[in-house]
Amino acid sequence: MNIAVRSNDTNLIDTNGLSRSELMDILERARFYENQKGMVPPRYLGRFAANLFFEPSTRTRFSFEVAEKRLGLEVLNFSEETSSTVKGETLADTLKTLAAIGVEVAVIRHSQSGIAEEMVKQNNGVRLVNAGDGHNAHPTQALLDLYTLHKHFGDLNGLRVAIIGDLRHSRVARSNLWSLTTMGAEVVFSGPETMRAPDLEEHAPYLPIDEAIAQADAVMMLRVQLERHRERLFTTREAYHQHYGLTLERFARMRDHAVILHPGPVNRDVELADELVEHPRSKVFEQMKNGVWVRMAVLERVLEGGNL
């Protein structure tokens, strides 16, 4: 696994390039925006952001758009079907075009792992925020997860987080591993044998699911990413839920203070029992709300060259 530093003051490519102090700066700025309920002077009036989503997305795309508009940015939304990419234009040329017409920051989601880092290296004239590239990285999801846990627990040093599910195809698991361990938390992994990720297990232990859940302060269930499966990796939804999901029986064995996270969208009664999605100890919808504050902080950071 490539764990080279890939983020800098004007781009966010992954969390593995961020120090503890940089992570804390983002969390504190997100808290500021939450305390203001996002009602802040629109400091970026007349400046432009573009959202380039080459993969389907509801919560991430709209969360970015709300964050951009709360900051006063003018927002351009890219549609692959009606763009020049269908005529063969490369992503690099698309970014150069956006820069030429005045776009300052582009938010990119793409199925190709590593493409955000590649675009930063090419320096196409626009600042970049990675909104998820293949199974490689999803830094703003990891940051909003970190913010949610920090709000609930305070100091994360020594906190045990169990990340469970489709590890092989998960960009969320990877970015969370880097940010959580940088903040002093302990990460353990679990899930189906067919979805294990040996590259992740070089950095954190893999445990049987019941052991992982029983010991965790936070249980982060991952979505089964069917769109990335090239072969059948489990039999039925019901079988997955019984063997690898957070069932009501497993929930009863969680520590009393432990909380539930899921990056969404939730496959109810697959990764997570339907009754647990809105449970008082579930952070699923709070994660979504926190995403706006965190993305406001991230956009401000890249536009201000690292100064928050």
Side-chain angles (χ1 to χ4, degrees), residues 168-169 194-195 225-226 228-234:
R168 190 200 300 183
H169 305 96
T194 54
M195 300 179 189
Q225 301 200 32
L226 294 173
R228 302 188 199 285
H229 293 186
R230 296 181 179 176
E231 58 195 41
R232 191 177 182 86
L233 298 180
F234 61 98

Side-chain angles (χ1 to χ4, degrees), residues 23 27 38 62-63 80 92 171 180 192 201 256 283 294:
L23 291 171
L27 299 190
F62 286 129
S63 179
E80 184 178 15
R171 50 199 176 203
L180 287 167
E201 293 172 36
D256 291 341
K283 298 291 184 181
V294 167

Side-chain angles (χ1 to χ4, degrees), residues 85-198:
T85 59
V86 298
K87 304 175 186 174
E89 183 177 78
T90 65
L91 177 56
D93 282 340
T94 298
L95 293 173
K96 290 176 185 174
T97 299
L98 293 174
I101 62 176
V103 171
E104 293 186 58
V105 57
V107 177
I108 297 179
R109 168 168 287 195
H110 203 286
S111 62
Q112 182 179 330
S113 296
I115 195 165
E117 181 183 10
E118 181 183 331
M119 292 300 105
V120 168
K121 288 178 178 176
Q122 292 188 19
N123 188 20
N124 295 302
V126 63
R127 302 171 190 222
L128 297 182
V129 176
N130 184 4
D133 61 329
H135 65 267
N136 181 52
H138 195 347
T140 57
Q141 178 66 47
L143 290 168
L144 73 87
D145 292 340
L146 194 70
Y147 182 71
T148 303
L149 290 171
H150 193 265
K151 274 181 62 180
H152 186 82
F153 289 104
D155 185 9
L156 300 186
N157 194 45
L159 193 81
R160 174 171 278 210
V161 181
I163 302 178
I164 298 170
D166 191 355
L167 299 167
R168 190 200 300 183
H169 305 96
S170 177
R171 50 199 176 203
V172 172
R174 286 164 173 79
S175 291
N176 265 295
L177 172 65
W178 312 131
S179 55
L180 287 167
T181 53
T182 299
M183 292 293 288
E186 178 187 0
V187 172
V188 299
F189 292 116
S190 189
E193 283 293 319
T194 54
M195 300 179 189
R196 290 179 68 162

